Amino acid sequence: MKFQNIFILTALAGSIFSITACSPNEKAKAKQVQVFERPLFLETTRATMDRPVYSLSLPGELKPYEQVDIFPKAKGFIKKIYVDRGSKVKKGQLLAVLEAPEISQQYLSVQSDQRKLYEDYQFSRQAFQRLKKASLKNGAVAEIELERVRAQFRSDSAAYIAAKAKTSASGQLEKYLRILAPFDGTVIDRNVSVGALVGENNQEPLFSIAQQEHLRLTVAIPEKHAHSLQTNTSVTFTVSGRPGKVYSSNLSRNSSLLNQTSRSVTTEFDIENSSRSLSGGEYAQVKLKLQRPDSTLWVPLTSLIHTQSGIFILKVDKGLVQRVPVIEGSRKDSLIEVFGDITSTDDIIKKASEELEEGSRVKSKQ
């Protein structure tokens, strides 16, 4: 009986010791469960609807308004060159002359053929008209003879028309021996010299011409800002070659089509450059003034949680915390634009914390 009492006392002591000897982690977990079982008093706010004008900084590129590489249409030798790199040219100005004797001889040949066929056509026409007039008297001309003359007239007429077309084509080919400027601009490259054989398999352009007095500023607008473009969207921009100088322009054209590779919309702003202070090919740092077509939701920056799984805000629904995934938009002072499953009537935690788990009980501070 004595040993039995000692065993019972030992067992009770062991139980008491095991209860009091819990690990620190177990105590912390028990304390955490106890804390989250009680509602937390946190400050909440609501998203605001707004349609502000906001700024966006993007890279851009200045390009000549028009630029073209000029290749020869006909094969020949360079006979004479009238311009060089840096020359300013006007539309239709003669740049170079090619020499191709076979083209000139071919043109003279088809001209001769055309004159012969024209004479045949004129003779057939007159013969048909006379015979047709004579056929008005009964029995003067056999019907089959009239038909034969009519057929000859039609044949000679078709041959003459074909000869005219052939002469016109040959004449156009001869015109290609004269290289003309397609628009007002500047010769930015010259790749040939007098005596060079050009045309056909020669893939190098004779000249490159660009329009420098008028430039295009191209800017790729990211997808999430594409709908904020307006017909009067304005920009200011700077270039590294002119530090401290700020240029401005308004939207000239918009592709309105999203590039599947860059996920952006290409826009163009026309730049007047009569002073030639800017150069085509320069990169520019562009600032745009944009505005959403409709009002959007804005929340405090502190309401966002950035995690490895995404961006969230904490919404309070019936006293319980819900994590709502959102997409960031633009920033304005201490507010940020968000897109997600929230409305302007939802209560959201103003200073969100990643440690606050979904389902926690929360009460708003008064």
Side-chain angles (χ1 to χ4, degrees):
M1 185 67 177
K2 182 177 180 181
F3 288 108
Q4 185 178 4
N5 290 338
I6 291 173
F7 176 76
I8 292 172
L9 289 173
T10 303
L12 287 173
S15 299
I16 293 170
F17 177 77
S18 63
I19 292 173
T20 57
C22 291
S23 67
N25 290 336
E26 291 174 343
K27 288 181 180 180
K29 289 181 181 179
K31 185 177 181 180
Q32 187 177 14
V33 171
Q34 185 180 6
V35 169
F36 282 103
E37 285 178 350
R38 297 196 302 269
L40 297 172
F41 289 89
L42 298 174
E43 185 178 0
T44 59
T45 186
R46 290 185 175 181
T48 58
M49 297 290 291
D50 200 0
R51 188 171 170 256
V53 175
Y54 63 96
S55 297
L56 185 65
S57 183
L58 294 169
E61 184 179 0
L62 287 167
K63 298 179 180 179
Y65 193 78
E66 299 286 355
Q67 182 172 347
V68 66
D69 292 332
I70 299 178
F71 292 85
K73 176 70 174 178
K75 183 179 179 180
F77 294 93
I78 299 292
K79 182 178 181 180
K80 195 166 185 180
I81 296 176
Y82 296 93
V83 296
D84 209 332
R85 182 180 283 109
S87 299
K88 294 181 177 61
V89 297
K90 295 292 184 181
K91 182 178 180 179
Q93 181 176 332
L94 185 62
L95 306 179
V97 174
L98 305 185
E99 188 176 32
E102 66 276 13
I103 292 179
S104 299
Q105 292 300 320
Q106 181 184 5
Y107 180 59
L108 293 174
S109 176
V110 295
Q111 274 187 320
S112 177
D113 292 342
Q114 179 184 339
R115 283 194 294 269
K116 177 182 180 301
L117 290 171
Y118 175 72
E119 295 296 334
D120 293 343
Y121 160 71
Q122 286 288 76
F123 178 80
S124 297
R125 184 173 66 86
Q126 292 174 4
F128 172 67
Q129 288 176 344
R130 290 193 189 100
L131 205 61
K132 185 178 180 182
K133 186 176 181 180
S135 67
L136 295 177
K137 295 181 181 181
N138 289 332
V141 178
E143 184 69 25
I144 191 169
E145 185 65 20
L146 182 63
E147 288 299 324
R148 186 187 66 79
V149 174
R150 180 186 286 114
Q152 184 64 43
F153 167 60
R154 289 175 177 173
S155 175
D156 292 343
S157 176
Y160 172 61
I161 292 173
K164 281 176 63 178
K166 191 175 181 179
T167 302
S168 177
S170 181
Q172 185 62 51
L173 191 62
E174 191 175 37
K175 288 181 181 179
Y176 288 144
L177 297 178
R178 295 169 56 85
I179 309 300
L180 306 178
F183 50 77
D184 296 355
T186 303
V187 178
I188 60 174
D189 206 0
R190 168 192 158 179
N191 301 308
V192 291
S193 299
V194 173
L197 177 63
V198 297
E200 291 187 359
N201 296 328
N202 189 347
Q203 299 300 320
E204 191 174 32
L206 305 182
F207 306 98
S208 294
I209 297 179
Q211 201 173 63
Q212 295 282 48
E213 288 77 12
H214 199 190
L215 303 176
R216 300 172 188 256
L217 173 65
T218 59
V219 184
I221 308 298
E223 180 179 4
K224 66 179 180 180
H225 299 289
H227 291 289
S228 298
L229 288 167
Q230 308 293 326
T231 55
N232 60 344
T233 297
S234 62
V235 297
T236 58
F237 66 95
T238 58
V239 293
S240 59
R242 305 280 289 185
K245 181 70 174 177
V246 179
Y247 302 87
S248 62
S249 182
N250 293 319
L251 181 65
S252 300
R253 58 198 65 86
N254 174 8
S255 69
S256 301
L257 181 67
L258 194 67
N259 185 294
Q260 296 300 309
T261 303
S262 63
R263 307 304 299 175
S264 62
V265 171
T266 302
T267 57
E268 288 188 349
F269 300 82
D270 290 349
I271 310 297
E272 191 62 36
N273 189 39
S274 55
S275 64
R276 289 177 166 251
S277 59
L278 297 169
S279 300
E282 286 186 298
Y283 288 104
Q285 189 59 39
V286 184
K287 290 185 178 180
L288 300 93
K289 294 290 186 182
L290 301 176
Q291 188 177 32
R292 296 286 186 192
D294 303 301
S295 297
T296 53
L297 291 173
W298 296 74
V299 299
L301 283 167
T302 55
S303 296
L304 290 186
I305 300 176
H306 293 80
T307 67
Q308 292 182 349
S309 57
I311 304 172
F312 301 89
I313 63 168
L314 300 181
K315 182 171 71 172
V316 180
D317 184 22
K318 297 179 181 179
L320 299 177
V321 172
Q322 289 184 358
R323 284 196 174 194
V324 180
V326 295
I327 299 174
E328 286 183 286
S330 304
R331 291 190 182 187
K332 180 189 175 185
D333 300 328
S334 62
L335 298 178
I336 187 166
E337 185 182 28
V338 293
F339 303 93
D341 187 20
I342 61 170
T343 66
S344 57
T345 59
D346 290 333
D347 291 324
I348 60 175
I349 296 175
K350 189 172 183 179
K351 294 183 179 180
S353 172
E354 189 176 352
E355 296 179 357
L356 193 59
E357 296 182 355
E358 188 165 9
S360 301
R361 295 174 59 194
V362 170
K363 282 188 177 182
S364 300
K365 284 186 178 180
Q366 300 297 326

